[in-house]
Amino acid sequence: MWPLKTAQRAIIIAGCCGMAYTQLTLSAASIDFVRTLGGTGLHVGILNALPVGMLFQQFLAAVLANHLKYRRPVWMWLSLLQRVLVVPVAFGPVLWPQVSDAAWTWAFLAAIAVNQGLLHFCTPLWLSWMGDYLPHVGLNAYWGQRQRWMQWTAAGSLLFGALLLYQTGLGVRIGYPVLALIAAVFGVVDILMFQKVEEPRVTPLPDP
């Protein structure tokens, strides 16, 4: 396992990779992708509502976390699934054009729903882990530094996505799947970096 200082730097880098994943996957390009498939305002509304609509998964994760000895295995495998889930569906209209665009539209919305559900399920597990691992002294300053780098990464990711889509001539139908694939690479790197971050054993709270 990495020493604390190395792990803290890795957690910042991983956070930047995770931010790149999020911005490239759920940027405005995802809305354009849905519209390119023939999606209407209804489909776009569902797409935009899913990140908030799946928040209830955090409550399920909080209950589960209290019954685990270690959070890393569950968090890592579900997070890896979450990071690659959108890619095959995004490439679907290109690889299987015989399937109707309407079917791919709903498949894409379903993939985003599962994606966001897994994200919200895994987030409390990760926060609980970090809360047990990171030193409380200076934590606010460290977290602020991490957030600063993540916001710069978010801006850079959006700029990269815009240039890829509108300066290469790919178009959204092909360009968004390419963005989703690049995002998945960043997302998987984010998760795998935590293999070397120590995890303290869970201290369960008494059931109410």
Side-chain angles (χ1 to χ4, degrees):
M1 293 297 166
W2 282 322
L4 177 61
K5 291 297 183 182
T6 303
Q8 286 179 313
R9 287 192 292 269
I11 291 168
I12 292 175
I13 296 170
C16 292
C17 290
M19 179 60 78
Y21 167 82
T22 300
Q23 296 303 319
L24 293 175
T25 304
L26 292 178
S27 66
S30 63
I31 297 175
D32 285 349
F33 182 67
V34 169
R35 290 198 178 279
T36 299
L37 294 176
T40 65
L42 171 65
H43 301 98
V44 173
I46 293 172
L47 176 66
N48 288 330
L50 287 174
V52 176
M54 303 305 290
L55 275 170
F56 71 93
Q57 293 287 344
Q58 294 193 11
F59 297 102
L60 300 179
V63 174
L64 174 66
N66 203 43
H67 294 83
L68 295 173
K69 292 182 179 179
Y70 292 97
R71 293 146 291 205
R72 190 204 316 263
V74 174
W75 172 83
M76 183 163 286
W77 285 111
L78 290 181
S79 294
L80 287 172
L81 174 62
Q82 185 247 342
R83 297 304 167 92
V84 300
L85 182 65
V86 175
V87 175
V89 180
F91 275 101
V94 178
L95 298 177
W96 297 283
Q98 68 273 18
V99 179
S100 70
D101 283 354
W104 285 121
T105 301
W106 287 109
F108 180 71
L109 292 178
I112 294 296
V114 177
N115 173 279
Q116 291 300 300
L118 289 172
L119 173 65
H120 286 305
F121 186 87
C122 292
T123 297
L125 300 179
W126 183 81
L127 288 173
S128 172
W129 174 6
M130 294 298 102
D132 289 343
Y133 174 66
L134 293 171
H136 292 182
V137 177
L139 183 59
N140 287 344
Y142 170 74
W143 220 245
Q145 181 184 16
R146 179 176 179 271
Q147 286 298 116
R148 181 172 66 250
W149 282 107
M150 288 173 61
Q151 293 307 312
W152 279 111
T153 302
S157 300
L158 291 174
L159 177 61
F160 169 78
L163 291 174
L164 178 69
L165 289 176
Y166 300 111
Q167 298 297 323
T168 62
L170 286 177
V172 175
R173 196 178 184 93
I174 297 176
Y176 177 77
V178 172
L179 282 180
L181 179 60
I182 296 171
V185 172
F186 280 108
V188 169
V189 169
D190 166 22
I191 304 305
L192 292 180
M193 290 186 75
F194 284 91
Q195 285 183 309
K196 301 292 288 183
V197 177
E198 182 182 349
E199 181 194 2
R201 187 184 178 98
V202 174
T203 303
L205 297 173
D207 289 325

